[in-house]
Amino acid sequence: MFSETRGGGAVVSFPGNMDHAQHIALSLAEINCLRAYVTTFAFTSESQVLKRLALVPGTSGLVQTLGRRSLKYVPEGLVRSAPFWELLRTAAIKAGLGEVLVDKLWDIASLQLDARVATRFINGSHSVHAFEYTALKSFQKAHQHRVACVLHLPSLDSLQFEQLQRREKESWPELRGGDDDYFTKKFAERYERRQAEIELADVIVANSSITARSHVEAGADAKKVRVVPLAAPPPIGRIHWCEQQKFAPLKCVWAGSFSLRKGAHYLLEAWRRLKAGGNAHLDVFGQVVLPREMQDSGFPNDLKFHGSVPREKLFEAF
């Protein structure tokens, strides 16, 4: 198996533990072609740290947060992490220190991950798989060493999304937040970086035809683009049903960040119009990413927020 110091193999770089990124690494590992999975902060599925921390009173919330960062699919010996800035970002989120500070820490963590891959993992590899905004330095170094660059794009062209977001905020003024000016000032610089990564990429992998089309319309070379849809777990084979359930309240689940990007404001409006009272209940699994002003105005009482949870707990809710 490839190691950090042995030549050859592919490097997968992602600042988190999304299943999609893990399975890219797993696919390469299965053909003995993965040199390293480089990330910021992650636990392996058998982490003794998590198990011991769970025994400490009052740490259940922290354990839940950290548990979401478990790597379940990548061979443990091939994981390389640099957790400092990501741990600071996680602490800032838990402490409620504001979106601007959290964003600044995210930016540092992302850029340092990219720089680390460029410095330590490109030379001697045959390809680098990286995700948008964390690939520029890696790709620049890769071109110097004739290493193939594969860029993964999990979301729409950010300029198209920025325009969509502005339209939404015109229609829904309550979505405007006190930090909007900060993010607006950051946009041009970040978009320029993303476009430079697309230009340097030898292959671009989009997660849907819509994502691919948005980037091609923004200038990406269509000949480089490949569409690989996200996979899904096996469907539920059987539902256990009893007659009494006819009269039970309707149970709904929201899975994912509760944000403008996911359309949370539309769900809130629909739920208010429903006026179901005790006849329906909604459980929200995911971080609430809406302006503080909108959160302070209150949500319907029949919504229960669980925060971000490990996938196993989410599947239990399903």
Side-chain angles (χ1 to χ4, degrees):
M1 190 62 72
F2 297 103
S3 68
E4 189 171 332
T5 57
R6 182 179 173 185
V11 176
V12 177
S13 170
F14 182 67
N17 68 329
M18 179 173 66
D19 280 3
H20 177 49
Q22 289 191 60
H23 277 285
I24 293 169
L26 176 60
S27 297
L28 291 165
E30 287 175 342
I31 58 171
N32 198 34
C33 199
L34 178 65
R35 182 182 180 191
Y37 179 88
V38 189
T39 187
T40 51
F41 169 75
F43 279 114
T44 61
S45 59
E46 297 299 319
S47 173
Q48 294 300 314
V49 176
L50 268 188
K51 292 178 180 178
R52 291 171 183 171
L53 191 59
L55 300 176
V56 180
T59 62
S60 58
L62 179 60
V63 170
Q64 176 172 296
T65 300
L66 296 179
R68 295 182 60 248
R69 302 303 299 268
S70 293
L71 292 178
K72 301 179 178 65
Y73 308 111
V74 184
E76 184 174 346
L78 297 176
V79 177
R80 304 291 185 269
S81 61
F84 179 76
W85 290 105
E86 180 60 18
L87 285 173
L88 279 183
R89 188 185 76 90
T90 301
I93 293 173
K94 296 295 288 184
L97 297 182
E99 287 189 35
V100 171
L101 177 59
V102 170
D103 178 79
K104 288 179 178 179
L105 293 171
W106 166 82
D107 199 63
I108 294 172
S110 299
L111 300 186
Q112 291 214 350
L113 174 72
D114 182 24
R116 183 168 184 256
V117 172
T119 302
R120 300 180 60 181
F121 294 94
I122 297 301
N123 190 16
S125 297
H126 64 52
S127 62
V128 55
H129 295 250
F131 285 71
E132 61 172 339
Y133 198 72
T134 58
L136 183 58
K137 295 293 184 183
S138 303
F139 284 3
Q140 290 171 339
K141 185 70 172 289
H143 273 256
Q144 296 173 13
H145 292 270
R146 301 179 65 84
V147 172
C149 301
V150 182
L151 180 65
H152 294 267
L153 299 176
S155 55
L156 297 178
D157 170 72
S158 56
L159 179 57
Q160 287 192 16
F161 176 73
E162 181 69 11
Q163 293 168 344
L164 184 154
Q165 183 171 249
R166 288 172 183 170
R167 291 197 301 269
E168 290 298 297
K169 289 182 178 181
E170 289 174 2
S171 301
W172 301 71
E174 60 268 39
L175 290 172
R176 298 170 186 164
D179 299 323
D180 283 4
D181 287 345
Y182 164 82
F183 288 102
T184 298
K185 291 176 182 177
K186 285 285 186 183
F187 180 80
E189 175 188 347
R190 290 175 173 176
Y191 188 66
E192 182 179 352
R193 178 184 176 89
R194 287 183 165 98
Q195 292 302 102
E197 293 171 341
I198 288 172
E199 184 66 26
L200 287 168
D202 297 304
V203 177
I204 297 170
V205 181
N207 67 350
S208 71
S209 58
I210 294 174
T211 298
R213 186 166 62 248
S214 76
H215 286 283
V216 171
E217 289 173 353
D221 184 351
K223 295 178 181 178
K224 295 182 181 179
V225 180
R226 303 290 184 271
V227 177
V228 182
L230 298 182
I236 297 171
R238 184 178 181 183
I239 296 174
H240 299 284
W241 177 262
C242 63
E243 191 70 17
Q244 288 75 16
Q245 286 179 279
K246 282 185 179 181
F247 309 102
L250 175 69
K251 294 181 180 179
C252 303
V253 171
W254 170 287
S257 63
F258 203 68
S259 62
L260 182 157
R261 177 183 289 271
K262 300 292 187 181
H265 49 303
Y266 286 104
L267 178 131
L268 286 172
E269 177 65 15
W271 201 263
R272 289 190 178 106
R273 291 188 186 187
L274 184 62
K275 297 180 180 178
N279 296 313
H281 184 79
L282 173 65
D283 287 290
V284 176
F285 294 88
Q287 183 184 357
V288 179
V289 190
L290 291 172
R292 176 60 58 186
E293 296 82 354
M294 189 174 184
Q295 296 184 46
D296 291 343
S297 66
F299 294 136
N301 293 330
D302 44 2
L303 270 65
K304 185 175 181 180
F305 292 89
H306 300 267
S308 299
V309 300
R311 190 177 67 170
E312 290 77 11
K313 187 169 183 179
L314 177 63
F315 279 16
E316 286 177 12
F318 289 162

